[in-house]
Amino acid sequence: MTSKTVLVSGASVAGPSAAYWLHQHGYSVTVVETAPALRPGGQAVDFRGEQMKLLGAMGIADEVRERETAMGDQVVLDQAGQPAFTVPSRFISGEVEVLRGDLARILYDRTKDYTEYVFGDRVTALTETADGVQVTFRHGAPREFDLVVGADGIHSGVRAVAFGPEASFRQGLGYHVAGFTAPNHLGLDHSGLIYSEPGRSAMIASNREPETVTVGLYFRGDPGGYGRPDLARQKEILADVYAGAGWEIPRLMRAMPEADDLYFDTVGQIRLDRWSTGRVVLLGDAAWCAGPGGSGTGLAMMGAQILAGELAAADGDHVTAFARYEQRLRKPAHVGHKNSAGSANFLVPATQKGIHTRNRGYKMMGNALFGKLWDYMGSRAANAVEYREYPRRVAS
């Protein structure tokens, strides 16, 4: 093996997953994260099918189940606030669902004893040499690594440095998303509600904390996106977009300014012709972000296992390994893109007619004749890549 040290950018899910698998094959890993600490909470992520084998192979399946949301069905409401149709839990939550922050903590705890974690810093420059990559950080001293993995999400800093500006690779899906935690004033118990008006929707769900719900806001708006506004501007945008909305939205919006975990972004996909350049490779949303319904978390973790396994199989030849890694994951990433491409029509129909068409179509799927469609739609992206074991060099 010629390459032994790896810098991974991003400490959410893809990064620590890469740290775990790279360690299994004898690599020394440093993970750098812009945030000052692990981010708690966040939206729920799910696993199903082939991805369950991965959790078992990593030895974290039991821990994930201990922290699962145990979400039940979610009910989509009409504009009178009455049930229009029910979305089965297996479609939304898969075989097991967990909050992203809980999953990140599990992965961090699993890898912290043999991984160097550096919080509160980021990559600002990469210079490839004959033997490695010279990395410049915003705060820390420059260092050299054999390989660099950009696992830092849709707004990847490594991708920007190594491949170019995000605008060159991002395709918007026509809507925006915001999320935060709010009091559970409806008394939901491991269940969820989805309410839509033309161009704006709200999804609220209860999980492990009975006093609170996670709120997801999906809305159409500025077609060019709002950029990356600061927190005060995010709150202004949401207040404007949801002004005059019905159902329980006014009460949810009154809780929004007090939330300390507000998330806000434009929903989009990342599409690149290649995922590596020299000794730098991208993983997860940094490489192929699909968007809602694209099984992004599970595929990122599968990608980490494949990336590390191919490096080991190629005895550290990164050129060969990166090519094989991309070959195995290109089609699954395409399936994820395709799965998510029409997510706006479900999450936030643009017109009243669109809401009616969605409700009528999905209500038909409650019929036994169409029931298997839920399973197919929910598992298509998750099963797009088969889990295969690579021989390990370190005992798991």
Side-chain angles (χ1 to χ4, degrees):
M1 184 180 294
T2 57
S3 297
K4 292 292 293 183
T5 62
V6 183
L7 174 69
V8 177
S9 177
S12 178
V13 172
S17 296
Y20 172 85
W21 287 110
L22 287 164
H23 172 74
Q24 298 300 306
H25 297 296
Y27 286 84
S28 175
V29 182
T30 296
V31 176
V32 62
E33 166 59 44
T34 302
L38 292 177
R39 295 182 175 96
Q43 296 298 305
V45 297
D46 65 89
F47 300 90
R48 61 191 84 201
E50 290 294 309
Q51 298 167 356
M52 297 301 295
K53 300 176 184 177
L54 179 76
L55 297 184
M58 296 179 73
I60 62 172
D62 290 342
E63 293 176 82
V64 171
R65 288 201 178 278
E66 287 174 2
R67 293 167 175 79
E68 68 177 322
T69 63
M71 277 292 295
D73 296 344
Q74 298 201 31
V75 177
V76 177
L77 307 174
D78 61 24
Q79 287 190 260
Q82 299 301 309
F85 65 93
T86 298
V87 182
S89 62
R90 66 182 185 276
F91 177 73
I92 296 288
S93 304
E95 295 179 51
V96 62
E97 182 185 67
V98 63
L99 295 181
R100 180 178 292 274
D102 289 341
L103 178 61
R105 171 58 65 178
I106 291 170
L107 292 168
Y108 171 78
D109 288 344
R110 179 55 59 104
T111 57
K112 64 183 180 181
D113 290 341
Y114 50 75
T115 302
E116 177 190 13
Y117 279 91
V118 179
F119 288 94
D121 209 346
R122 63 178 300 175
V123 174
T124 58
L126 299 168
T127 303
E128 186 161 344
T129 67
D131 301 317
V133 183
Q134 289 279 353
V135 182
T136 303
F137 300 93
R138 172 172 289 180
H139 302 297
R143 296 172 63 178
E144 183 167 349
F145 298 87
D146 292 303
L147 301 172
V148 174
V149 179
D152 43 356
I154 189 171
H155 303 301
S156 170
V158 168
R159 189 186 61 233
V161 171
F163 291 81
E166 180 178 314
S168 301
F169 314 113
R170 181 172 178 140
Q171 295 184 13
L173 292 181
Y175 64 106
H176 316 277
V177 61
F180 58 94
T181 302
N184 185 9
H185 72 274
L186 291 174
L188 298 179
D189 182 12
H190 294 85
S191 60
L193 298 171
I194 303 173
Y195 171 82
S196 299
E197 294 179 358
R200 56 189 182 184
S201 296
M203 177 186 296
I204 61 175
S206 70
N207 44 69
R208 297 177 62 230
E209 301 295 334
E211 295 83 12
T212 61
V213 291
T214 56
V215 180
L217 302 176
Y218 303 89
F219 54 99
R220 302 188 185 231
D222 181 358
Y226 293 100
R228 303 188 70 180
D230 62 23
L231 182 60
R233 178 60 183 145
Q234 292 174 17
K235 294 179 179 180
E236 290 177 0
I237 292 169
L238 293 174
D240 289 343
V241 168
Y242 283 89
W247 187 58
E248 298 290 334
I249 290 179
R251 189 162 180 177
L252 295 174
M253 295 308 296
R254 287 197 292 272
M256 182 268 296
E258 306 303 320
D260 60 4
D261 59 349
L262 181 63
Y263 168 83
F264 182 104
D265 207 349
T266 300
V267 181
Q269 298 180 338
I270 295 296
R271 296 174 181 261
L272 292 96
D273 293 334
R274 55 194 173 93
W275 296 340
S276 65
T277 176
R279 293 173 176 268
V280 180
V281 64
L282 301 177
L283 171 67
D285 282 353
W288 63 72
C289 180
S295 197
T297 300
L299 187 57
M301 293 177 67
M302 293 283 261
Q305 188 257 354
I306 292 169
L307 174 61
E310 291 297 344
L311 280 167
D315 198 28
D317 177 356
H318 63 276
V319 175
T320 298
F322 290 171
R324 290 174 177 171
Y325 153 76
E326 188 165 336
Q327 183 179 31
R328 279 203 62 193
L329 286 165
R330 270 289 174 183
K331 184 176 179 180
H334 175 71
V335 173
H337 284 149
K338 187 175 180 180
N339 231 34
S340 184
S343 57
N345 294 329
F346 176 81
L347 289 171
V348 56
T351 64
Q352 187 61 52
K353 181 178 179 181
I355 293 174
H356 176 73
T357 300
R358 177 199 66 181
N359 292 357
R360 182 178 59 185
Y362 279 89
K363 185 175 183 179
M364 288 178 60
M365 289 174 61
N367 186 301
L369 293 175
F370 296 92
K372 291 184 178 180
L373 279 175
W374 289 115
D375 296 327
Y376 170 72
M377 293 168 59
S379 63
R380 178 171 52 181
N383 289 328
V385 58
E386 177 186 359
Y387 176 78
R388 301 177 194 166
E389 187 67 60
Y390 292 87
R392 308 189 193 200
R393 301 194 181 192
V394 177
S396 59

